[in-house]
Amino acid sequence: MPDAFFVPVGETEPGTERFSSTERTTSLWAPTMQHGAPPSALLLRALERVAARSDVRVTRVVVELLGPVPITDIVVKSWVERPGKNIELVAAELWATTATGVERAVARGTAWRMTTEDTAAVTHAADQRLAPLSDASLHSWGGRWKSGYLDNIEVQALGNFGADGPGLVWARPKTALILGETMTPLERLFSIADIANGVGASLDLDQWTFLNTDLTVHVFRIPEGEWVGVAAETSVGPDGVAMSAGVLHDEHGPVGRIAQTVLVRPRS
């Protein structure tokens, strides 16, 4: 198997790219669908690259998972939704042929990109720093917590993973996003960010399923280094809907926040 989540197949037309998905993307919910993190990172790659400018950076990303993302060839389409001198909105979609033979968009992402300015003299992080990586211990997935994607990330847990209170972990991908490419800092962040739902879950995976339909990430500082810290907790309502919310870190401190809408169902 190629040592990457995706393998380039080639351009189909200007503004589009095609990739084959490897089994390293597989979700724990079904062997035929991808975990949310690799498609999110693939969308982020497109959102950074479309009409690229050296004076702007991505500040907020919304990813909508429009259904199961199949493990098949993926076409990435991207465009500038709303141009602007200092603030612009860019968009991207992942298209695939579903199991029923229908070709459609399976995931969509939008991002605000803003021009940058030197504000180093007034930097401030509102959230507390995560305990350092040196305090963490290697986490081994057990029981139902097995999938192609989870096998391809390294997780170091802080405290009792899955206990009451926020889940606290450090994680990094063990494989490339795109075969032959080095991840950008934000690609690396998004290759991990979607685990917040699982990290913050207090529900028993043997009794419940909890699939997120989206993720919204605000990034106030570009992360540095290989490791992504996640501090997340899920709030569950009385009618099958939950919300996972958390803070994303690098080893220097917080870099942003993430929120996800979660569909909760008992296992039959």
Side-chain angles (χ1 to χ4, degrees):
M1 188 190 308
D3 190 13
F5 292 125
F6 301 102
V7 177
V9 176
E11 286 196 3
T12 55
E13 60 186 55
T16 69
E17 293 178 285
R18 182 183 294 273
F19 300 91
S20 62
S21 309
T22 73
E23 292 184 5
R24 298 183 193 276
T25 64
T26 308
S27 168
L28 63 84
W29 302 118
T32 56
M33 65 182 284
Q34 295 189 36
H35 188 280
S40 298
L42 190 60
L43 283 167
L44 184 281
R45 176 183 178 275
L47 295 170
E48 283 194 299
R49 289 181 174 220
V50 62
R53 293 169 50 183
S54 61
D55 62 333
V56 301
R57 75 162 177 88
V58 168
T59 63
R60 186 227 63 184
V61 177
V62 176
V63 172
E64 310 281 4
L65 300 171
L66 304 177
V69 179
I71 303 172
T72 185
D73 279 9
I74 300 289
V75 174
V76 184
K77 304 177 182 182
S78 58
W79 62 94
V80 177
E81 183 78 17
R82 182 270 200 192
K85 180 180 179 181
N86 291 308
I87 303 172
E88 61 185 9
L89 184 67
V90 292
E93 289 182 340
L94 306 185
W95 282 69
T97 301
T98 66
T100 59
V102 176
E103 185 179 5
R104 65 175 181 85
V106 293
R108 179 181 299 126
T110 58
W112 285 110
R113 300 195 309 201
M114 298 182 181
T115 54
T116 57
E117 185 65 53
D118 184 2
T119 54
V122 293
T123 57
H124 169 70
D127 296 295
Q128 292 186 346
R129 294 184 63 166
L130 195 60
L133 180 62
S134 57
D135 288 355
S137 57
L138 182 65
H139 176 72
S140 297
W141 304 102
R144 291 181 181 266
W145 291 95
K146 295 291 290 182
S147 75
Y149 170 74
L150 294 180
D151 288 345
N152 282 277
I153 62 171
E154 179 182 351
V155 174
Q156 299 278 341
L158 293 159
N160 295 320
F161 184 79
D164 291 341
L168 308 172
V169 302
W170 289 99
R172 63 179 176 182
K174 296 190 290 187
T175 191
L177 175 63
I178 307 295
L179 188 66
E181 291 185 9
T182 299
M183 290 191 203
T184 69
L186 286 181
E187 287 172 7
R188 185 176 293 106
L189 184 75
F190 276 77
S191 74
I192 294 296
D194 190 76
I195 72 171
N197 172 33
V199 167
S202 59
L203 297 171
D204 186 342
L205 192 59
D206 290 327
Q207 300 183 38
W208 300 92
T209 62
F210 35 94
L211 289 79
N212 63 293
T213 60
D214 56 38
L215 62 151
T216 299
V217 180
H218 292 262
V219 182
F220 74 89
R221 179 171 64 80
I222 297 295
E224 301 176 31
E226 293 186 356
W227 290 92
V228 176
V230 181
E233 191 166 11
T234 300
S235 300
V236 183
D239 57 355
V241 177
M243 176 195 69
S244 176
V247 181
L248 303 174
H249 303 251
D250 66 9
E251 292 189 78
H252 300 290
V255 298
R257 293 184 179 180
I258 180 171
Q260 298 163 287
T261 309
V262 182
L263 178 77
V264 178
R265 292 294 183 267
R267 289 188 184 273
S268 56

